[in-house]
C-alpha cells in the first residue's frame, strides 16, 4: 500500500470516533475496534510507534475494569434483576441519589461495562492513528504558526512507544544474562539511564540542526494528498453516516 498522508488516519479515526459516540452502541464499538486492529495489522510499519495501538488496548482494558468496579460500587441505583448486594456506606444528605454499595443489578453492571467499552474504543482508535502515522511526517505538515507546539507534541507522543521499546529491550538483555523474569525494580535504573541518554541525543541533534534559529519552513519533498487518502477518508465518512442513520 502506498504511503498515506499523515492526516489520513487521524481524520479516519475522528470520523469513526464520532460514529461510535453518536450511536452509543456496544456492537458499533466492538466493530470499530476490530476494524482498527485489522488496519494496524495490515498497514502499520515496523517502527516504535506501531505498537501504540496494542498498548492502548491494554490501557483501555485496565480502564474498563476500573470503570466497572467504580460503576458497581458507586453510582445511581438502577432497578432490575438483582445479582448480589454490597453493604451500604452512609453518605451526607446533600448528595442524595448517589450511594456507595447496595443492591447490584444486572442492568447496573451492563451499563458500567457499556460505558467502559465506549471509552476503550475511543482510546483504541486514537492509538490506531498513532500506530499508523509517522510522527516525523506529521511534523513536516505542521503549520509554522504552531510548529514549536507540534514538535513538543510529537516528542511527547513518541516518548511512550520509545519507553515501551526500551523496557522490552532491557528485559531481553536481562533474560540473556539468566534473569528470565526481571522485576520492574531491576530494570528501572537501566530504563532511566536509557531515557536520559536518548533525551540528550535528541537535544544534541536538534541543536546541531539549528532548531529555533529560523522560523522559515523548508518545502523539501512536500507530502501530497493522494486519491487513496480520499478513498480511506470516504470509507470512514460513509461508515459514520451509516451509523448515524441507524441511530435515528
Amino acid at each position: 500500500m502506498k504511503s498515506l498522508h499523515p492526516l489520513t488516519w487521524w481524520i479516519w479515526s475522528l470520523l469513526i470516533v464520532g460514529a461510535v459516540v453518536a450511536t452509543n452502541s456496544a456492537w458499533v464499538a466492538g466493530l470499530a475496534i476490530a476494524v482498527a486492529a485489522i488496519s494496524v495489522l495490515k498497514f502499520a510499519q515496523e517502527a516504535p510507534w506501531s505498537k501504540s495501538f496494542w498498548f492502548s488496548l491494554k490501557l483501555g482494558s485496565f480502564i474498563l475494569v476500573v470503570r466497572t468496579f467504580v460503576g458497581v460500587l458507586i453510582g445511581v441505583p438502577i432497578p432490575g434483576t438483582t445479582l448480589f448486594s454490597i453493604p451500604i456506606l452512609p453518605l451526607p444528605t446533600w448528595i442524595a441519589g448517589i450511594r456507595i454499595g447496595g443492591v447490584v443489578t444486572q442492568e447496573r453492571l451492563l451499563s458500567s461495562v457499556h460505558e467502559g467499552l465506549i471509552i476503550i474504543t475511543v482510546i483504541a482508535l486514537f492509538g490506531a492513528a498513532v500506530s499508523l502515522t509517522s510522527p516525523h511526517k506529521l511534523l513536516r505538515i505542521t503549520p509554522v504558526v504552531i510548529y514549536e507546539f507540534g514538535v513538543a507534541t510529537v516528542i511527547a507522543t513518541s516518548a511512550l512507544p520509545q519507553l515501551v521499546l526500551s523496557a522490552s529491550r532491557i528485559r531481553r538483555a536481562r533474560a540473556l544474562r539468566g534473569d528470565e523474569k526481571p522485576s520492574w525494580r531491576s530494570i528501572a535504573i537501566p530504563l532511566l539511564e536509557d531515557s536520559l541518554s536518548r533525551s540528550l541525543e535528541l537535544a544534541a541533534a536538534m541543536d546541531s540542526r539549528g532548531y529555533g534559529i529560523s522560523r522559515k519552513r523548508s518545502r523539501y519533498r512536500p507530502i501530497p494528498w493522494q486519491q487513496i487518502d480520499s478513498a480511506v477518508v470516504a470509507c470512514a465518512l460513509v461508515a459514520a453516516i451509516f451509523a448515524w442513520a441507524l441511530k435515528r
Side-chain angles (χ1 to χ4, degrees), residues 85-230:
S85 181
I86 302 175
I88 297 178
L89 181 65
L91 294 175
T93 56
W94 54 272
I95 54 175
I98 299 177
R99 69 181 183 185
I100 299 178
V103 176
V104 177
T105 61
Q106 181 179 350
E107 288 73 13
R108 183 175 175 182
L109 178 62
L110 292 178
S111 175
S112 301
V113 173
H114 176 81
E115 292 176 2
L117 182 59
I118 300 298
I119 296 173
I120 283 182
T121 306
V122 174
I123 294 175
L125 286 170
F126 282 116
V130 174
S131 294
L132 294 167
T133 306
S134 169
H136 311 295
K137 291 184 178 180
L138 189 63
L139 183 60
R140 283 173 55 187
I141 64 169
T142 304
V144 65
V145 178
I146 59 172
Y147 181 72
E148 294 182 358
F149 173 77
V151 171
T153 303
V154 168
I155 293 174
T157 54
S158 302
L160 185 57
Q162 290 286 352
L163 190 65
V164 173
L165 187 64
S166 297
S168 177
R169 185 171 60 249
I170 293 170
R171 282 181 177 272
R172 287 197 303 269
R174 292 194 64 86
L176 290 174
R177 292 174 172 82
D179 189 3
E180 297 182 356
K181 295 182 179 180
S183 63
W184 278 104
R185 184 178 299 178
S186 63
I187 69 173
I189 298 301
L191 186 61
L192 178 61
E193 291 179 353
D194 188 67
S195 301
L196 290 175
S197 176
R198 193 183 309 110
S199 300
L200 292 174
E201 291 175 0
L202 176 62
M206 294 176 68
D207 186 62
S208 64
R209 288 167 175 79
Y211 172 74
I213 295 177
S214 175
R215 295 189 62 83
K216 292 183 179 181
R217 294 290 303 276
S218 172
R219 295 300 174 186
Y220 175 64
R221 289 193 302 180
I223 304 176
W225 183 272
Q226 307 173 78
Q227 291 183 352
I228 192 171
D229 296 299
S230 301

Side-chain angles (χ1 to χ4, degrees), residues 19 22-23 237-248:
T23 56
L237 182 59
V238 170
I241 293 174
F242 182 70
W244 291 329
L246 285 179
K247 180 63 176 178
R248 298 191 178 201

